[in-house]
Amino acid sequence: GAGVSQSPRYKVAKRGQDVALRCDPISGHVSLFWYQQALGQGPEFLTYFQNEAQLDKSGLPSDRFFAERPEGSVSTLKIQRTQQEDSAVYLCAVLRGLNTEAFFGQGTRLTVV
Amino acid sequence: KNEVEQSPQNLTAQEGEFITINCSYSVGISALHWLQQHPGGGIVSLFMLSSGKKKHGRLIATINIQEKHSSLHITASHPRDSAVYICAVRLSEDMRFGAGTRLTVKP
């Protein structure tokens, strides 16, 4: 959607492979969220950044999941030693600030085989 | 218990019918979004509400802050309205999502 670009759109990984998913917001979006959406489910919160600070990572399902946003703009979600249960769409959402509109990326569909 | 509950989970309607999707939440919020997700597509925000009612074309969204409840209405539904509709609540800077309502409108 307008305001945020995710890449790749689709990723097939072999079990055990590491993957990196990218979220690239247009400038000025202070808050950035990562969500995991399993097939037929609503998005589940993973982690949240305000600028470069990771303020909440309580949703990350295991220590194989790691997210960073070193310069407060582009964020990368890394999954190490992927498992089949990691197969999902990973969504990125951004906000400019309190009570402002939210923008969502198109998501990255990860399939672990 | 999920902080955001939506109903129904699935809804099938005939073209032209009036549709209502409900969202209840259990936490204090600063705003609520109604989102639309088409198959294979990204998510688009239809409305952001903090009180009252908003209307855009055939879509109407209402919120009752005291009752912690919001509804999305679609008047004169059309097959192109078929999508997943998701309620998301804003908790200060955070967001939480409902599981979504899958709407299918048949011609």
Side-chain angles (χ1 to χ4, degrees):
Chain A
V4 57
S5 173
Q6 287 188 250
S7 59
R9 284 294 312 277
Y10 303 93
K11 175 70 179 177
V12 179
K14 290 185 178 178
R15 194 172 58 172
Q17 186 180 348
D18 296 350
V19 298
L21 312 179
R22 179 183 169 104
C23 174
D24 194 347
I26 62 173
S27 63
H29 287 99
V30 172
S31 302
L32 185 148
F33 302 81
W34 282 101
Y35 295 91
Q36 181 190 58
Q37 187 176 22
L39 190 64
Q41 304 293 318
E44 296 282 343
F45 171 79
L46 292 176
T47 186
Y48 152 57
F49 291 86
Q50 191 168 70
N51 296 308
E52 70 279 2
Q54 189 173 20
L55 298 188
D56 187 345
K57 54 182 180 180
S58 61
L60 296 176
S62 79
D63 59 7
R64 296 186 295 104
F65 285 70
F66 172 75
E68 59 183 10
R69 195 187 187 198
E71 297 177 0
S73 178
V74 173
S75 178
T76 304
L77 176 67
K78 297 179 179 177
I79 309 173
Q80 297 176 323
R81 304 181 303 281
T82 52
Q83 303 294 318
Q84 281 191 313
E85 63 262 27
D86 300 335
S87 297
V89 174
Y90 291 85
L91 289 164
C92 176
V94 295
L95 308 171
R96 282 189 182 272
L98 278 172
N99 295 326
T100 61
E101 191 52 85
F103 296 96
F104 295 83
Q106 291 278 38
T108 294
R109 182 177 296 278
L110 172 65
T111 304
V112 181
V113 296
Chain B
K1 186 181 187 304
N2 198 0
E3 293 162 316
V4 184
E5 297 280 353
Q6 277 188 245
S7 63
Q9 280 188 311
N10 294 284
L11 180 56
T12 300
Q14 287 297 131
E15 184 173 356
E17 285 185 359
F18 180 84
I19 287 161
T20 296
I21 300 171
N22 295 300
C23 175
S24 296
Y25 51 92
S26 58
V27 293
I29 69 170
S30 58
L32 180 145
H33 293 269
W34 279 103
L35 310 170
Q36 182 189 55
Q37 186 175 37
H38 282 280
I43 292 176
V44 173
S45 180
L46 299 172
F47 295 103
M48 187 174 81
L49 291 165
S50 54
S51 65
K53 176 178 173 178
K54 286 190 176 180
K55 184 176 189 292
H56 182 69
R58 294 180 294 105
L59 301 178
I60 303 167
T62 64
I63 189 168
N64 185 318
I65 296 293
Q66 287 73 32
E67 295 186 4
K68 292 187 165 60
H69 181 269
S70 176
S71 293
L72 176 68
H73 306 284
I74 305 175
T75 61
S77 59
H78 190 276
R80 65 174 174 267
D81 297 327
S82 298
V84 175
Y85 293 85
I86 302 171
C87 169
V89 298
R90 296 279 285 271
L91 313 176
S92 184
E93 287 283 3
D94 201 352
M95 279 197 295
R96 292 289 185 264
F97 293 78
T101 295
R102 184 174 300 278
L103 172 65
T104 303
V105 182
K106 295 184 175 180

